[in-house]
Structures are given as C-alpha cells and as structure tokens.
Amino acid sequence: MGKVGSLSDGVLRKIVLSYAYVAIWIFLSFTVIVYNKYILDRKMYNWPFPISLTMIHMSFCSSLAFLLVRVFKVVEPVSMSRDLYISSVVPIGALYSLSLWLSNSAYIYLSVSFIQMLKALMPVAVYSIGVLFKKDTFKNDTMANMISISFGVAIAAYGEAKFDTWGVILQLGAVAFEATRLVLIQILLTSKGISLNPITSLYYVAPCCFVFLSVPWIFVEYPVLKETSSFHFDFVIFGTNSLCAFALNLAVFLLVGKTSALTMNVAGVVKDWLLIAFSWSVIKDTVTPINLFGYGLAFLGVAYYNHSKLQALKAKEAQKKAAQADEEAGRLLEDREGDGMGKKNEQQN
C-alpha cells in the first residue's frame, strides 16, 4: 500500500509540475505579446521602433545567455566550427531577425487578436516550405487540411473591423520567414546531429540577429531616433520587457524538456484564445462574429494537423519498437543456436 501511495504521489506531482510549466509558458508568452503591443502601439506607450526593440531584446538575451553558458555553466555549449557557424547558424540568424522585425512591426498596425488569427497560418507555411525543400512529402489530405486552415484565416481577415493591408503583409512575411527558419533548422542543424535548446540557441543566434538588425536600423530608425531629442531610455520598461522575453525562452526550455513539443503546441492554442479574449475585453479591440467563425475553422484545421502529427509520431515509435524487438529476438535465437551447437560438439567429443 505504501508503494502504491508513493507512486500515486509521484504521478500526481508530475502532473502538477507539467501543468505548472504550461501555465508559466502561457503567462510569459501572453505577457511578452501584450507588452510588445503596449510599447509599439502609437495609442499606448507610443514608441514605434520595432527594430530598436528587437535589438534591445537580442543584446539582453545575448548577454544573459553568455553568462548562463560560459560563466555559470548551466548548459554546455555545442561543439561548432567556424565554417559550420557561418554556413548553418548565420542563415538561421538572418531569417530569425527578419521574422522578429516584421512580427514586431505588425503590432503597430494590427490588433493583438487579429495577429493571433493570422499566426494560425504557421502550419501551412511550414508544410509548404517543407515540401518545397523536400523535407516533407506532398499528401493530398494534408494539403486539403492546409487549404481549410487558409480558408478559415481568410474568413477571419474578411471579418476584421480594422483591416490594415500593410500590417497583414508584415505579419504574413513574419510567418513565412519563421517557417523557413524552422525548416532550415532541420536541414542545416538537426540533419548534422546538432541540437540547440533555447539557451544555446540564444547564445549562438542572438548576437548574429543583433548584427543583421543593425543594418536596417542605421538607415530606418536611427535617423528618426536621433531627431527625437526628447526620448530617454526607460530602463524599467525596456529592462522588464527584455527580461520577460528571456524568461519566455527559459520557459520554452522547461516546457519542451519536461513535457513535449506537442504539449507546447496545445498550450499555444489555449494561449491564442486567451489573447483574443484579453484583446477584446481589456484592450477593447473589436472582435466580430465573422472573425471568430473564421478562426474557429482555422483552429479545427490546426487541431487536426497536430492530431495527425501525433498519430504519425506514435506509428513511427511503434515501428521503431517493433524493429528493436525483432532485432532482440534474432539475437536471442542466434545465442540459442550457438549454445545448441556448443552442447552438440561437447557430446560428440
């Protein structure tokens, strides 16, 4: 009874911790999105400089990642040559900087709720680019599901009360660059046996992003900031904002490490619905019934896509276990035959 009780306590503790990790990730992700909107929106904090904000995040995250990897040695750095860094990490860093720049820019023009609806296109972009780069195989049923997600997002866009074409272009560009980055991670890093967790990712990628962002910043935002003599760097606002962005990466590390990537996907859906509710009730963004209907269709498509990925993962694991069992059975059979031959030789002698 004692063992059963302790086992139940252990399982309960694991479940509670899993829910805690999910709650922390949702809270931090929620906070970073709303905080970025607050800083960049002209009707709120009124600091519409997305490149500058992203560069502040990257410099802060680079510094903390360096401390965690090199000074406190919380995680081990990955063995990486200069050629590998230039050929693999630099292209990923370039795409990441473009994705962050465009996604942060979209907050100036679009509501938080509508941005979350547009982000539902991420599986569509990842699958399409995966097929293009031959990392995914084209399947009619999967493509039909991708079309249904796109159709749902199109309905949501049609029902958007404050539709802004430039904002939509920025957000769709961010989705495209982020999807390409995710596919290139598989091609350039995972295929070479290199695995980066969120902390080592920031350690290698954040400095690269900062350098890439500095080029458009010099020409686009620096001249405007230079003329804005009244601006003074608010350490409280930008410091806490950057800290939240870094804490979010740590939360991803915890969530994926202690649960699974699929759990993060499901938690992401919950976060999106919470953000839409918050955007409507607190920020007072207009969310129309057509918005919700369209996003509902897209949500069902994304849920089906996640379910299909889970089933494929389970089937792959089952095949792997079956192959291991067959290999073990073959080895046992060989051992028995070897023992039988040995005994037969002994009897003959």
Side-chain angles (χ1 to χ4, degrees):
M1 284 295 287
K3 285 184 179 179
V4 173
S6 62
L7 181 65
S8 299
D9 290 342
V11 170
L12 183 65
R13 185 172 177 273
K14 192 175 180 181
I15 291 168
V16 170
L17 279 174
S18 296
Y19 276 110
Y21 294 135
V22 168
I24 290 166
W25 180 80
I26 288 175
F27 172 75
L28 287 170
S29 182
F30 186 100
T31 303
V32 168
I33 289 168
V34 174
Y35 211 157
N36 286 352
K37 172 68 175 175
Y38 168 75
I39 291 170
L40 295 165
D41 198 304
R42 288 188 171 91
K43 295 176 184 176
M44 297 182 190
Y45 189 75
N46 190 26
W47 200 70
F49 300 103
I51 306 175
S52 301
L53 182 64
T54 310
M55 287 177 72
I56 291 167
H57 287 173
M58 290 300 104
S59 59
F60 186 87
C61 289
S62 297
S63 304
L64 281 186
F66 179 83
L67 289 172
L68 289 173
V69 174
R70 290 294 181 186
V71 179
F72 298 110
K73 300 189 187 298
V74 174
V75 291
E76 288 293 319
V78 177
S79 179
M80 192 179 296
S81 66
R82 185 181 175 183
D83 290 340
L84 183 63
Y85 183 85
I86 292 168
S87 63
S88 300
V89 176
V90 169
I92 290 166
L95 289 166
Y96 193 39
S97 61
L98 286 166
S99 170
L100 290 171
W101 172 17
L102 297 184
S103 62
N104 280 334
S105 298
Y107 286 114
I108 300 170
Y109 304 96
L110 302 175
S111 66
V112 170
S113 57
F114 187 44
I115 286 173
Q116 301 316 119
M117 293 175 190
L118 290 174
K119 282 181 181 178
L121 286 170
M122 185 60 75
V124 180
V126 171
Y127 178 70
S128 302
I129 293 164
V131 170
L132 190 67
F133 282 96
K134 296 179 179 177
K135 287 303 292 180
D136 247 316
T137 52
F138 180 86
K139 293 177 183 175
N140 289 328
D141 56 342
T142 306
M143 185 49 73
N145 186 34
M146 296 298 111
I147 291 169
S148 73
I149 294 170
S150 303
F151 183 64
V153 173
I155 292 173
Y158 177 76
E160 176 60 21
K162 295 178 182 177
F163 187 89
D164 186 283
T165 306
W166 181 237
V168 171
I169 290 169
L170 288 170
Q171 186 55 49
L172 292 180
V175 168
F177 283 123
E178 179 63 11
T180 308
R181 182 184 77 91
L182 293 173
V183 173
L184 279 188
I185 285 172
Q186 288 182 311
I187 296 169
L188 299 176
L189 294 178
T190 310
S191 62
K192 295 173 185 174
I194 297 170
S195 179
L196 299 176
N197 63 51
I199 299 171
T200 49
S201 289
L202 287 174
Y203 175 73
Y204 289 107
V205 176
C208 185
C209 285
F210 184 88
V211 172
F212 275 114
L213 288 166
S214 64
V215 177
W217 179 78
I218 289 168
F219 298 102
V220 178
E221 293 186 2
Y222 175 68
V224 182
L225 283 167
K226 197 176 178 182
E227 288 176 10
T228 313
S229 56
S230 59
F231 173 73
H232 298 286
F233 190 84
D234 192 328
F235 284 96
V236 175
I237 290 290
F238 294 107
T240 52
N241 180 245
S242 299
L243 188 62
C244 287
F246 185 79
L248 177 60
N249 281 279
L250 290 181
V252 171
F253 179 55
L254 276 173
L255 185 62
V256 176
K258 302 295 182 180
T259 57
S260 68
L262 185 70
T263 303
M264 187 173 149
N265 285 341
V266 175
V269 171
V270 175
K271 178 209 71 180
D272 290 343
W273 281 109
L274 286 172
L275 274 166
I276 290 168
F278 180 85
S279 178
W280 170 72
S281 61
V282 179
I283 303 176
K284 301 300 179 186
D285 287 332
T286 304
V287 179
T288 66
I290 298 174
N291 270 150
L292 292 175
F293 176 72
Y295 183 66
L297 285 179
F299 162 73
L300 290 174
V302 172
Y304 179 74
Y305 174 74
N306 285 335
H307 173 73
S308 301
K309 294 285 278 185
L310 178 61
Q311 294 303 111
L313 196 65
K314 283 182 178 178
K316 194 174 178 181
E317 284 294 317
Q319 283 180 343
K320 191 177 177 183
K321 284 179 181 177
Q324 286 175 344
D326 289 343
E327 192 180 328
E328 187 67 28
R331 199 180 295 115
L332 286 170
L333 190 62
E334 284 176 9
D335 290 343
R336 284 176 185 172
E337 286 176 355
D339 290 343
M341 287 295 291
K343 286 178 181 177
K344 192 174 181 181
N345 290 334
E346 282 177 13
Q347 287 173 357
Q348 285 175 351
N349 291 331

